C-alpha cells in the first residue's frame, strides 16, 4: 500500500458517524518545514474541535495537494480543507 491508501484506511476507521458531529480532513502545506500534514478533525456542535494527525508526507506531494484532496474526498465522502 502507498501512504495515501494507508491514510484513507485510517480515516475510514476513525469516521464513526455520531449524531450532531462534524467530520472533515485538513491538509496543511508546511512550506518552511517542507512537509504536508494530513489531519482528521471532528467536533460536536457547540464543543471544541478535536484534531488527530493521520499522515505526514514529503515535499514531493506538495504540488499534488488538489489531486490528493479529491482522492480522499471520493474515497471517504468527507469535507476536505486545505490552507491554500
Amino acid at each position: 500500500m502507498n501512504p495515501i491508501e494507508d491514510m484513507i484506511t485510517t480515516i475510514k476507521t476513525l469516521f464513526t458517524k455520531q449524531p450532531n458531529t462534524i467530520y472533515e480532513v485538513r491538509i496543511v502545506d508546511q512550506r518552511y518545514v517542507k512537509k504536508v500534514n494530513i489531519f482528521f478533525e471532528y467536533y460536536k456542535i457547540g464543543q471544541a474541535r478535536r484534531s488527530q494527525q493521520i499522515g505526514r508526507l514529503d515535499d514531493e506531494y506538495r504540488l499534488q495537494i488538489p489531486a490528493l484532496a479529491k482522492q480522499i474526498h471520493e474515497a471517504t465522502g468527507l469535507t476536505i480543507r486545505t490552507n491554500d
Side-chain angles (χ1 to χ4, degrees):
M1 282 183 128
N2 66 28
I4 292 32
E5 291 174 358
D6 289 340
M7 284 186 282
I8 290 171
T9 303
T10 304
I11 291 168
K12 288 180 179 179
T13 304
L14 293 171
F15 182 50
T16 57
K17 285 193 176 183
Q18 297 293 320
N20 296 324
T21 304
I22 310 295
Y23 297 92
E24 55 190 31
V25 174
R26 183 170 305 271
I27 301 174
V28 179
D29 176 18
Q30 292 185 308
R31 292 181 179 102
Y32 302 112
V33 183
K34 297 190 178 182
K35 297 283 184 183
V36 176
N37 282 328
I38 290 95
F39 298 94
F40 179 78
E41 298 184 338
Y42 62 99
Y43 59 95
K44 286 196 175 278
I45 297 172
Q47 294 184 0
R49 179 181 304 255
R50 294 189 178 119
S51 181
Q52 179 177 348
Q53 183 180 11
I54 57 171
R56 187 171 193 165
L57 303 171
D58 292 329
D59 192 44
E60 64 192 42
Y61 287 94
R62 187 172 57 87
L63 298 175
Q64 300 172 9
I65 288 176
L68 178 63
K70 183 178 179 183
Q71 182 181 0
I72 292 172
H73 175 71
E74 289 176 352
T76 63
L78 296 174
T79 302
I80 311 296
R81 301 209 184 268
T82 62
N83 66 335
D84 291 336

